[in-house]
Amino acid sequence: MARSERIRLLIHSPYRKINGLPSGVNSMIEESIPHLERLGCDVKTVRPAPLRYPFEKKDDSDYHLGRGVPAIVDSTDFEVGFAFSKRSARDILEDARPHIVECHEPAIPFAAHTLISANPKIDENRRLVPFAAVQHAGMPDGGVERITEFVREILTRAKRVKFNKFFLPVGFTPGWVQTLRDGFSSWSAVTEDTRDFWYKYNPQDYSIIPNGFEVRDFTPDGEIFEEWKTDGKRTVLVVARHDKRKGLDDLLLAHKENVKADYNVKLKLTGRGDMTEALEELVRREDIPDVEFLGSLSKPDLTKAYRTADVVVAPSVGGEGFNRTIVEGRMSGVLVVCTNIAGQKRAIGDELKGLMAEPKNPGSLAEKIRNVLDLPEEYAKELREQSRRSATQDFGWETVSLKRVAHYDQILSRHGQVPEWEGATKTFLSKIPIAGDIFVNDRPKKYQRRS
C-alpha cells in the first residue's frame, strides 16, 4: 500500500464502554486515536451496545456489535460483547470499508469471531481485509488456566453446518478456535509475559507493542493536593479497582506493619469495586490507622494524587496484562513499589526492579515500601528522574504510535493489496432473519468477476 494513502482502521473492543468505570483497553484505544490519525490513519471504533438498549443509551463508538453481557473472572466484573449476527458485522464492515480491522482481546467470545466470519472472501483461502489481533490480559491463578483450556477444547469442537451457493448443507465450518487462528494476519501482545501466556494456547509469531501513555498528562510538574502535606505524614498511594486480584488486602496489612514500625505514613486508596466494603471492614477489624478511601478520581485529580504521593504501590497478585498505574506513577516522578508478577515486570522498568515485592506477602510489601522511604533524598531524586525518563521514552504515545503504524504497514505489505470494497452480492435469502447470517455468495462483486 502506498503510504500516500491514509489507512482506514476499524478498532474493535470486546468491552462495553461504561462512563465512570475504568477500562484499560478502552482507555488505551481512545488515547491512541489522535496519535494514529496524526500519522495517517482514519480510525473508527466498534464496541458492544448495552444489554438493555434502548433503555440504556449507547456510548459514542462509531459502531456497536452485539450486547454487553456481565461476566466475572477471578472476582473482576466487566461487560463483554456477545455478538452472533454475521449480517450485522458485514453491514459494519461494508460501511466502514476498512483497510485493517484491529481486534483487542480476540479470545473473548464471540464478537471477534463474528467479525472475521463476516469478512468477505477473495478466494477459498483468502479474505478481503487483514485482521490484526492484540492480546492484553494475562491470567490469574486459581484454576483459570484449566478453565481456559477446557473452554478452548469445547470451542475447538463447536462447529455449525456450512452451506453452498444453493443453500444446501455441504459440511461443517472450521470451528471457533480455528476460525480465529486462520482469520488473523498478525498477532501482537502488550508485554512478553502476555505473549508467553497466550503462546501456550495459540502459538504465533507475536510482535510486542506496549500500551501507550499521554506524556503531557503525567508529569512531575503541576498542581498537588497541598492538604495532604499539612500533617507531616508521607503518603502511600494505590490506584486500583477494588478486585481480589489487585491484592489490596495485602497492602492494608503491610501498611499496618509499617505504622507499627514507627514509620510516619498514611495510605490513600483510589477506586472502588466489589471488594470495597470488605476492605473497609478489614480496616475496622484490624484497627488499621491512617487509611483513607478516596473513591474514583477524575483524571485531573488522579494526576494531582500521583504528584503528591511519596510512594505508589501496585500490589496485584495476578491477572495483569500491563498495569498502567505503574507507568503513570513513574511518568509523574514517583517511585513505585509493585509485586513481582507477570504483567508488571515490563511496566516497572530496569531502574525500579529492586522494588518488586513477593506477591501475596504483606511483609515483603511493607519492606519494599520502607526501602523507598529510607532512601537518601539525593539518590531518590536521581532514581525518580531516571525512571521517569525511561518510562516516557518507552511508553509515550510518540514512541508507541510509530510502532503501531509501522506494524500496520507490515500487515498491508504482507497482505499484498489494498482491500477494495464494492459491496457484496445480496440475494433474497439475506432478507430472511435466520438465513441472513449465512451469506450464500460471500465474495464481493469485484472478485466474483475475476473468478
Side-chain angles (χ1 to χ4, degrees):
M1 175 181 180
R3 284 304 282 119
S4 58
E5 183 175 359
R6 294 178 68 84
I7 298 174
R8 293 198 300 270
L9 179 65
L10 180 65
I11 300 181
H12 169 254
S13 170
Y15 303 116
R16 186 162 84 84
K17 188 178 178 182
I18 305 174
N19 291 334
L21 288 182
S23 169
V25 173
N26 281 331
S27 296
M28 191 277 295
I29 290 171
E30 291 299 313
E31 289 180 7
S32 74
I33 291 175
H35 298 278
L36 296 176
E37 290 182 336
R38 176 178 54 82
L39 294 174
C41 298
D42 294 323
V43 183
K44 292 187 176 181
T45 57
V46 53
R47 295 185 181 90
L51 181 63
R52 297 180 65 249
Y53 177 79
F55 300 103
E56 293 182 68
K57 291 184 178 181
K58 294 180 179 179
D59 59 50
D60 58 359
S61 301
D62 296 289
Y63 304 100
H64 292 87
L65 180 64
R67 301 292 178 91
V69 177
I72 299 176
V73 175
D74 199 48
S75 300
T76 300
D77 61 315
F78 44 87
E79 289 191 22
V80 297
F82 268 47
F84 300 97
S85 175
K86 182 177 173 181
R87 183 174 59 179
S88 296
R90 173 67 74 87
D91 287 343
I92 291 171
L93 294 176
E94 289 187 345
D95 187 75
R97 296 174 173 251
H99 295 144
I100 298 174
V101 177
E102 182 175 84
C103 293
H104 293 255
E105 303 284 39
I108 294 178
F110 290 92
H113 175 274
T114 301
L115 279 167
I116 289 172
S117 299
N119 186 10
K121 291 181 179 178
I122 296 176
D123 53 44
E124 290 304 315
N125 297 315
R126 294 184 67 214
R127 292 187 181 270
L128 179 62
V129 184
F131 272 52
V134 183
Q135 297 284 22
H136 289 266
M139 283 290 176
D141 53 13
V144 175
E145 289 198 32
R146 291 192 295 274
I147 294 172
T148 302
E149 182 65 26
F150 176 70
V151 172
R152 186 183 72 86
E153 287 299 317
I154 291 176
L155 293 177
T156 299
R157 291 167 172 74
K159 302 180 181 182
R160 64 169 175 80
V161 177
K162 185 177 181 181
F163 297 87
N164 66 10
K165 64 181 180 179
F166 302 109
F167 202 55
L168 296 174
V170 293
F172 295 92
T173 60
W176 183 80
V177 170
Q178 197 59 46
T179 297
L180 286 184
R181 286 177 175 170
D182 295 342
F184 285 103
S185 300
S186 75
W187 296 80
S188 64
V190 296
T191 66
E192 291 80 1
D193 290 326
T194 300
R195 174 201 62 196
D196 294 345
F197 174 83
W198 286 107
Y199 189 89
K200 294 181 292 185
Y201 303 102
N202 182 31
Q204 300 286 348
D205 183 13
Y206 291 84
S207 299
I208 305 299
I209 304 177
N211 287 337
F213 294 79
E214 290 287 4
V215 175
R216 66 176 181 271
D217 289 342
F218 300 100
T219 70
D221 304 316
E223 296 182 11
I224 65 172
F225 287 112
E226 298 287 354
E227 62 271 22
W228 289 12
K229 301 292 188 180
T230 56
D231 59 5
K233 295 182 179 181
R234 304 179 76 178
T235 299
V236 177
L237 175 71
V238 61
V239 179
R241 190 168 175 168
H242 297 180
D243 296 329
K244 182 179 179 181
R245 67 183 177 88
K246 292 297 185 179
L248 300 178
D249 50 348
D250 296 329
L251 179 57
L252 287 170
L253 297 176
H255 175 67
K256 180 180 179 180
E257 180 177 325
N258 284 342
V259 172
K260 281 189 173 183
D262 291 329
Y263 277 78
N264 195 23
V265 292
K266 57 190 174 187
L267 175 62
K268 294 186 181 291
L269 297 90
T270 75
R272 56 188 175 88
D274 288 343
M275 282 195 66
T276 300
E277 291 185 4
L279 294 171
E280 291 172 339
E281 174 58 29
L282 177 62
V283 171
R284 290 190 293 269
R285 186 174 68 248
E286 295 290 331
D287 193 24
I288 305 175
D290 294 313
V291 176
E292 183 180 2
F293 290 82
L294 302 175
S296 297
L297 300 184
S298 65
K299 193 165 187 177
D301 282 346
L302 178 61
T303 58
K304 288 171 65 176
Y306 279 128
R307 293 188 197 110
T308 313
D310 295 283
V311 189
V312 169
V313 184
S316 299
V317 299
E320 296 287 358
F322 187 100
N323 193 329
R324 293 179 63 85
T325 65
I326 296 174
V327 176
E328 290 171 354
R330 292 175 61 199
M331 285 184 171
S332 300
V334 190
L335 294 181
V336 180
V337 169
C338 75
T339 43
N340 189 1
I341 62 169
Q344 300 199 145
K345 297 175 184 177
R346 177 80 168 89
I348 196 66
D350 292 336
E351 296 85 1
L352 303 186
K353 281 186 177 178
L355 300 179
M356 299 185 79
E358 183 180 338
K360 300 182 181 180
N361 187 333
S364 178
L365 267 178
E367 178 185 2
K368 296 301 181 180
I369 293 170
R370 292 196 299 269
N371 288 347
V372 173
L373 298 174
D374 289 339
L375 288 175
E377 179 52 36
E378 282 301 314
Y379 178 68
K381 181 179 179 181
E382 180 183 346
L383 193 58
R384 287 194 296 266
E385 177 55 29
Q386 290 176 353
S387 177
R388 187 196 67 79
R389 187 166 51 247
S390 65
T392 300
Q393 292 172 349
D394 292 344
F395 305 118
W397 273 120
E398 296 295 323
T399 300
V400 175
S401 58
L402 286 171
K403 291 182 178 180
R404 289 184 65 183
V405 173
H407 186 60
Y408 301 150
D409 284 336
Q410 291 175 358
I411 292 170
L412 290 171
S413 177
R414 289 196 302 264
H415 193 64
Q417 63 190 85
V418 178
E420 297 183 32
W421 290 87
E422 293 191 6
T425 297
K426 306 283 187 179
T427 73
F428 75 95
L429 289 171
S430 66
K431 307 291 186 182
I432 303 173
I434 296 178
D437 285 346
I438 303 168
F439 290 89
V440 178
N441 191 335
D442 208 30
R443 297 187 190 180
K445 294 176 182 177
K446 180 181 183 66
Y447 297 100
Q448 289 173 34
R449 291 197 298 271
R450 288 180 178 176
S451 58

